[in-house]
Amino acid sequence: METKLNLESFLLECAPQERLSPRVFAMLINIAIQQQDQEKALRLARDYFLIHPNQRVAGFISEFACQLGTSQIDNHSIMETLEYIIRCPTVGTEPLTNRIHFLMCRQQGPFYDFMRNWSTQKEIKSNFFSEIPRVFHLTLRNGFISSPGLEFFARHLREILLLNHGQFTGTEDIVKTLIILSFNNEYVYAKNLEERKALGKIKDKRDYESVLLYAMYEPPDEERIAILSKDPLLERTFKSNPERERELAKGIENPEIGMDDPVRRQYEKYPFPRWIDTDAECSFALSHATQLGIKDFPEKPRVLVAGCGTGQQVMMNMKFACELPVVALDFSLSSLGYAMRKAEEYGIGKDKVKWLHRDIGNLGDLEGEFDYICCFGVLHHMPNPSLGCKELTRVLRKGGVIELGLYSRKGREYIDEVCRMCGIDRTGGELLREHSELEGLRLMREKVWKASQTEDVPKAVEKVIGTKDFYSSSLLKDYFFHEREWLFDVKDMRKLAEECELELVGFGFGKTEVMAEFVKKFGKERHTDWDAWEQFEEERRDVFSGCYIVFLRKH
């Protein structure tokens, strides 16, 4: 079994050496597999997750569970394991939703039977919704979902509840779950004609049940929020959390940053990204720097997260040994407010993160120099990426490292291909002019879904619906219809680095086999050679999957 062969190396890579040895768990799990005791192997994997609750271990366990035969293990054990993972605040549910859907569809019972056959099964018992398992509610409430199967099933449940209101008992919990799902994905799901007619009939009603049903589909106004706030969970979602975000953001507002930039206006409307849980056990940025073998790198570097958005990268870096506080800045107050509230949830105080409302183009009053700057997905949205990079280099100490995330021209060709195929203007023109922006995003998704239902689905379409950016309004807006974006190739990045007097340290990849392929072709010593990377990208046009992660060092 491939899982058995790769298990020990996986566990060794995931776990810090000072903790309980992963070799012990690898040995025990392998023994259980060899003895064909799948139940014990899954239990041991879950025990390991309790010690190291991070995204990679969660991903391994969910994949391992998918490989087990239905007769090899008790269904309750799998659902119990999923609950452990979904409830964990250091694990994001979104990357696991396809596997969670697969595992649910293998379970037995009326709900799971309906999940497998919802497109053909017409009859539903009156108490069906009151018997929905807890793990389903947790999955939908814990973030947006990037599983096509789960999306269409959730949309089907929503339609049943709206069109057949009053015919079922015990529906309030699932309605609230679908409301929270819609809030998390920013109401990106489209409506069919029957749903539009039904919503039109309750649009002006303000009784509690009608407001609940309407909030499954559309963002509630202040009057509806006041009604929804009778429920503690919905009050926290729609009232308390947003109010706290505004309060926190107001305390750091920089009046010198105006609203004339369309990119800032976009991120004030769509705080980016709207996350629920994150892998706070892993710092992909700083760990990459260590793996690249950078010499003389401080044991406790002074870190700047430039363009921190809603703070997800800040949380990731907090687990790395670094000088506190980490400095995190952004020009979107909405994003900063979201980040500061999430930091409170994680128990990260002002002594650990210094939040600043700043524009990367002008860091004149920023104190001191930094050993490490993380600037991911920011420069390619600035009016002049070169000026932004020069300003960051100015506050980087000599010998310091900057990590840049930049859009790849070749890696994003498939987006233009899908737009041409579906008749979508990437400037947002027709869709966003003729409809509200939200409705335009919904219609755009429906065009892509329609293209995915052909007999021979184009690879570009598969790639679009296979990315998480397709499953929430803010991600979709950023992904397809951004107000401003620059695309790069290796030549462009080389020019940018030379203009800023930065030298190449290397590239980061989510999959280690990509780097192994490069080393096999060019040798390890050429990982800092721009020419080699340019040739490698020319031969493997999709190697950077839409975005470069490049590490540069100041001379």
Side-chain angles (χ1 to χ4, degrees):
M1 181 186 287
E2 186 178 351
T3 303
K4 177 173 67 177
L5 295 175
N6 293 334
L7 186 59
E8 183 167 359
S9 60
F10 170 83
L11 295 176
L12 283 168
E13 187 179 350
C14 282
Q17 292 300 316
E18 68 270 21
R19 297 187 180 182
L20 185 59
S21 170
R23 286 190 176 90
V24 174
F25 276 93
M27 179 182 67
L28 293 173
I29 292 171
N30 277 328
I31 290 172
I33 291 172
Q34 290 164 10
Q35 294 174 343
Q36 298 186 341
D37 191 343
Q38 310 290 0
E39 186 83 39
K40 183 178 179 180
L42 185 63
R43 188 173 66 251
L44 286 166
R46 188 175 66 201
D47 289 344
Y48 187 79
F49 175 75
L50 295 176
I51 300 170
H52 303 291
N54 63 54
Q55 195 76 44
R56 298 196 65 216
V57 178
F60 168 77
I61 293 173
S62 60
E63 184 177 0
F64 177 52
C66 288
Q67 292 179 8
L68 298 174
T70 54
S71 61
Q72 294 175 304
I73 194 164
D74 178 57
N75 289 333
H76 178 73
S77 296
I78 291 180
M79 292 297 102
E80 190 177 64
T81 301
L82 284 180
E83 282 199 33
Y84 270 113
I85 292 172
I86 295 167
R87 288 182 182 275
C88 181
T90 57
V91 171
T93 304
E94 175 273 319
L96 308 175
T97 49
N98 273 308
R99 292 174 189 164
I100 290 172
H101 180 238
F102 175 82
L103 289 168
M104 285 183 181
C105 286
R106 290 192 354 184
Q107 307 309 302
Q108 300 301 315
F111 175 77
Y112 298 117
D113 291 342
F114 183 68
M115 177 180 272
R116 282 190 295 273
N117 305 299
W118 64 265
S119 61
T120 56
Q121 189 170 332
K122 303 302 180 183
E123 293 185 8
I124 306 175
K125 293 182 179 179
S126 62
N127 65 343
F128 169 81
F129 289 103
S130 62
E131 298 179 350
I132 293 178
R134 185 172 54 201
V135 68
F136 183 78
H137 287 285
L138 289 171
T139 301
L140 268 58
R141 291 183 181 191
N142 214 37
F144 68 92
I145 53 176
S146 58
S147 160
L150 268 182
E151 172 176 332
F152 282 107
F153 182 59
R155 288 169 63 172
H156 184 62
L157 293 181
R158 185 179 70 164
E159 181 182 358
I160 292 172
L161 289 162
L162 176 65
L163 301 185
N164 302 279
H165 175 56
Q167 296 183 24
F168 301 99
T169 59
T171 60
E172 187 170 336
D173 280 348
I174 185 60
V175 169
K176 287 191 290 188
T177 292
L178 293 170
I179 289 172
I180 293 169
L181 174 64
S182 290
F183 177 83
N184 290 338
N185 68 36
E186 298 148 319
Y187 298 89
V188 78
Y189 295 164
K191 310 180 289 284
N192 63 32
L193 182 59
E194 292 300 314
E195 289 171 305
R196 290 176 184 277
K197 291 179 180 178
L199 287 170
K201 293 177 181 178
I202 63 172
K203 184 178 180 180
D204 297 325
K205 294 183 178 181
R206 293 298 183 268
D207 61 280
Y208 184 61
E209 291 184 358
S210 295
V211 170
L212 281 176
L213 291 171
Y214 197 82
M216 292 192 299
Y217 286 86
E218 299 292 347
D221 55 21
E222 289 188 11
E223 187 179 0
R224 288 191 177 93
I225 288 174
I227 296 168
L228 292 172
S229 295
K230 295 176 183 178
D231 178 85
L233 177 62
L234 298 179
E235 192 278 338
R236 187 166 62 251
T237 301
F238 289 101
K239 194 169 187 294
S240 297
N241 285 347
E243 286 179 353
R244 182 57 178 158
E245 290 165 19
R246 289 191 290 270
E247 179 185 354
L248 290 166
K250 190 175 181 181
I252 63 167
E253 184 174 5
N254 180 359
E256 294 182 6
I257 298 180
M259 289 290 290
D260 55 330
D261 189 330
V263 175
R264 185 190 170 188
R265 292 197 296 270
Q266 175 178 330
Y267 288 129
E268 294 297 350
K269 184 176 181 179
Y270 296 106
F272 183 86
R274 190 185 293 275
W275 57 281
I276 307 298
D277 295 324
T278 194
D279 187 356
E281 281 273 315
C282 168
S283 167
F284 63 89
L286 288 170
S287 62
H288 268 314
T290 304
Q291 292 166 14
L292 288 166
I294 299 171
K295 297 178 181 178
D296 305 321
F297 200 66
E299 287 186 10
K300 288 193 173 183
R302 187 161 187 250
V303 175
L304 168 65
V305 182
C308 65
T310 52
Q312 197 169 24
Q313 290 173 335
V314 177
M315 306 306 156
M316 292 176 176
N317 280 301
M318 289 308 302
K319 287 291 180 177
F320 196 89
C322 54
E323 181 183 320
L324 299 176
V326 169
V327 178
L329 61 86
D330 202 275
F331 73 167
S332 164
L333 267 182
S334 296
S335 296
L336 284 166
Y338 193 99
M340 296 168 78
R341 178 180 65 78
K342 294 300 291 185
E344 284 187 339
E345 285 184 14
Y346 277 74
I348 297 173
K350 294 179 180 178
D351 58 324
K352 295 180 180 178
V353 181
K354 183 178 181 181
W355 304 97
L356 297 174
H357 185 210
R358 294 288 187 278
D359 187 338
I360 290 175
N362 182 12
L363 304 176
D365 62 345
L366 200 60
E367 298 176 356
E369 292 183 320
F370 296 89
D371 303 298
Y372 194 95
I373 297 177
C374 174
C375 184
F376 194 90
V378 180
L379 291 183
H380 53 230
H381 295 314
M382 293 186 68
N384 189 325
S386 178
L387 290 179
C389 191
K390 286 176 181 177
E391 187 69 355
L392 291 174
T393 304
R394 186 179 62 79
V395 298
L396 184 67
R397 72 163 176 84
K398 289 185 177 180
V401 174
I402 182 169
E403 178 215 12
L404 298 178
L406 299 168
Y407 279 159
S408 161
R409 181 177 291 108
K410 293 181 177 68
R412 288 173 67 82
E413 288 174 344
Y414 72 96
I415 298 175
D416 290 324
E417 183 182 343
V418 169
C419 287
R420 287 192 299 270
M421 194 182 307
C422 298
I424 298 168
D425 176 7
R426 278 201 66 198
T427 64
E430 181 183 347
L431 281 176
L432 304 189
R433 275 197 306 270
E434 295 183 3
H435 309 274
S436 69
E437 185 168 75
L438 179 58
E439 194 62 29
L441 294 173
R442 290 168 172 171
L443 291 172
M444 172 264 165
R445 291 183 88 244
E446 293 306 291
K447 287 175 178 281
V448 177
W449 281 129
K450 186 177 181 180
S452 75
Q453 292 164 4
T454 56
E455 190 170 322
D456 188 15
V457 183
K459 289 184 178 180
V461 172
E462 286 184 341
K463 197 167 184 178
V464 166
I465 63 176
T467 176
K468 69 176 183 179
D469 301 281
F470 188 63
Y471 295 88
S472 88
S473 292
S474 60
L475 292 174
L476 189 64
K477 168 74 175 175
D478 199 84
Y479 187 50
F480 269 86
F481 303 119
H482 202 285
E483 295 293 342
R484 182 193 301 122
E485 70 177 37
W486 300 90
L487 302 179
F488 290 78
D489 56 26
V490 174
K491 283 183 180 179
D492 297 324
M493 286 188 293
R494 183 178 192 168
K495 180 182 177 183
L496 182 68
E498 289 172 352
E499 288 175 350
C500 299
E501 298 184 356
L502 298 167
E503 61 185 12
L504 178 63
V505 175
F507 287 90
F509 297 96
K511 296 180 179 180
T512 55
E513 56 263 31
V514 177
M515 190 63 192
E517 185 181 341
F518 176 88
V519 171
K520 183 178 180 181
K521 183 173 182 62
F522 297 100
K524 189 174 183 180
E525 68 282 356
R526 294 193 67 187
H527 76 277
T528 60
D529 185 336
W530 287 109
D531 291 331
W533 283 108
E534 186 177 338
Q535 182 182 338
F536 188 59
E537 183 184 37
E538 193 60 38
E539 295 173 1
R540 287 278 312 275
R541 295 184 70 84
D542 62 342
V543 68
F544 289 101
S545 300
C547 197
Y548 298 100
I549 303 175
V550 60
F551 296 87
L552 305 168
R553 193 169 194 179
K554 188 173 181 178
H555 293 302

